[in-house]
Amino acid sequence: MASREVWTGKELRELLLRRANFTLSAPSVSALMNNEPVQMKTETLQALCTALKCTPDELYGVVPPREIALAEKPEADESSAKQ
């Protein structure tokens, strides 16, 4: 929100209404601003992204996973392979 110059819940509610035609209650906005959400309706997520002109990745700060190499599997014992 800060990177979009949105500093208050009132400003966010106004943006949601103006840009996304979406109404979110003051307590819901306050909860979003003060607590990390455990769950969120898809339409709320879409409205927030529309209002803030961002993607879900930007909204949640999703970091891409690191590339890792899987451990090599030990080769089968040659004697057991012959049996």
Side-chain angles (χ1 to χ4, degrees):
M1 287 176 38
S3 67
R4 305 304 199 267
E5 300 292 323
V6 178
W7 303 105
T8 66
K10 182 180 179 194
E11 290 173 331
L12 180 58
R13 289 184 74 213
E14 290 172 0
L15 271 181
L16 283 165
L17 187 57
R18 189 172 61 234
R19 290 186 180 163
N21 196 31
F22 188 83
T23 303
L24 198 56
S25 71
S28 293
V29 169
S30 178
L32 282 174
M33 293 177 69
N34 295 311
N35 306 306
E36 186 171 328
V38 176
Q39 62 184 8
M40 183 181 298
K41 292 181 180 178
T42 304
E43 59 254 6
T44 303
L45 177 61
Q46 290 173 331
L48 285 168
C49 289
T50 299
L52 296 171
K53 297 182 179 179
C54 66
T55 65
D57 289 352
E58 293 171 299
L59 193 61
Y60 283 108
V62 175
V63 178
R66 296 178 291 135
E67 291 293 325
I68 59 170
L70 299 175
E72 292 183 20
K73 293 182 182 178
E75 291 188 29
D77 182 15
E78 289 181 29
S79 61
S80 62
K82 293 178 182 177
Q83 293 178 357

